[in-house]
Amino acid sequence: MAAVAQCVWGALRPRYPLLSFSLRTSPRLLCVATQQKNTGQNLEEDQSQSQNEQKVEPSSAEKMLTEEKAKLEEQLKEVTDKYKRALADAENVRQRSQKLVEEAKLYGIQSFCKDLLEVADILEKATESVPKEEIKDENPHLKSLYEGLVMTEVQIQKVFKKHGLLRLNPVGAKFDPYEHEALFHAPMEGKEPGTIALVSKIGYKLHGRTLRPALVGVVKDA
């Protein structure tokens, strides 16, 4: 260090006699100045490097935030899709349940109606078995009995109709396997093949659904 001070002193002495004097009297002052200069340069380099790192770091952070945003958006999309599907499933279940409840209200009396049909059949047979020529004023008891049977049959048919139970008496209609049950097929003159020529037993429908098919005879080709 003393040699460096002497070289500097030799170079500066002709131009700056006062400075050369100061350096000659205090060689440590030059060392301190040199160290401070180096320290200042190092500080500037550190600050520049720190600024460069700060410029790079936001770019990396933005990239991470973008990736995280994409993941969250994808998760939101999946959750929304699952939510919509769950709503659709719940709506389907609600509609099916409502339909089952409505059908239960409509067809809950199905078994009871089937049992009543037997009563209606007996009443019908009873009225048909009474000879029409015997229903006279001279035979008041038979006449009153017959009129009572007819009134009962009419009333029970009104009750059936009130609850959606309708008769099927398809004479002359086209054979329908969903409403009719064929007992036999026979050729008949003047009748169109495939039509119903005879009804052996009346059928019934409950709210549009066949409760008991009509037992019929169907015309076929000769």
Side-chain angles (χ1 to χ4, degrees):
M1 184 64 67
V4 173
Q6 289 177 0
C7 292
V8 174
W9 176 76
L12 298 178
R13 184 174 59 180
R15 296 183 180 182
Y16 305 98
L18 293 176
L19 180 60
S20 62
F21 175 77
S22 177
L23 290 173
R24 184 181 60 185
T25 57
S26 182
R28 292 183 179 180
L29 183 61
L30 178 62
C31 296
V32 172
T34 304
Q35 290 178 356
Q36 289 178 352
K37 181 178 181 181
N38 293 334
T39 303
Q41 292 178 351
N42 293 334
L43 288 174
E44 290 178 357
E45 291 177 355
D46 293 342
Q47 290 177 356
S48 177
Q49 184 177 0
S50 176
Q51 290 177 357
N52 292 333
E53 291 178 354
Q54 289 177 358
K55 290 180 180 179
V56 174
E57 286 178 357
S59 176
S60 177
E62 288 178 0
K63 184 177 180 181
M64 292 177 62
L65 289 175
T66 303
E67 293 176 354
E68 188 68 20
K69 178 183 177 183
K71 291 180 181 179
L72 292 175
E73 288 178 350
E74 186 66 23
Q75 292 178 0
L76 177 62
K77 184 178 179 181
E78 292 179 359
V79 171
T80 303
D81 185 59
K82 290 180 180 179
Y83 174 71
K84 290 181 179 179
R85 289 184 180 180
L87 284 180
D89 292 339
E91 181 63 19
N92 291 334
V93 171
R94 187 191 68 80
Q95 291 180 357
R96 286 197 296 268
S97 300
Q98 184 177 0
K99 185 177 180 181
L100 290 174
V101 170
E102 291 175 355
E103 289 182 352
K105 291 179 179 178
L106 291 176
Y107 305 109
I109 59 173
Q110 183 170 322
S111 298
F112 179 67
C113 289
K114 281 185 176 181
D115 294 337
L116 285 180
L117 294 183
E118 300 299 328
V119 178
D121 292 339
I122 294 172
L123 284 173
E124 185 178 4
K125 289 180 179 179
T127 54
E128 290 177 353
S129 64
V130 177
K132 301 298 185 293
E133 63 273 9
E134 296 294 330
I135 304 174
K136 299 178 181 179
D137 293 335
E138 291 80 6
N139 197 350
H141 298 291
L142 181 60
K143 183 179 179 180
S144 297
L145 179 61
Y146 177 77
E147 289 176 352
L149 291 173
V150 171
M151 290 175 63
T152 304
E153 186 179 6
V154 170
Q155 185 62 32
I156 198 170
Q157 290 299 327
K158 286 182 179 180
V159 173
F160 285 172
K161 186 176 181 180
K162 178 181 178 181
H163 293 280
L165 190 61
L166 302 177
R167 286 165 57 97
L168 290 177
N169 190 9
V171 176
K174 283 285 186 180
F175 177 77
D176 185 354
Y178 294 102
E179 296 182 358
H180 313 138
E181 182 178 342
L183 296 178
F184 62 89
H185 294 77
M188 293 185 182
E189 293 183 0
K191 300 288 185 180
E192 182 182 356
T195 58
I196 297 172
L198 176 67
V199 177
S200 176
K201 193 173 185 178
I202 297 294
Y204 284 88
K205 294 178 72 173
L206 180 61
H207 295 292
R209 179 187 294 181
T210 301
L211 181 63
R212 187 181 75 181
L215 303 181
V216 299
V218 183
V219 179
K220 71 175 184 177
D221 293 329

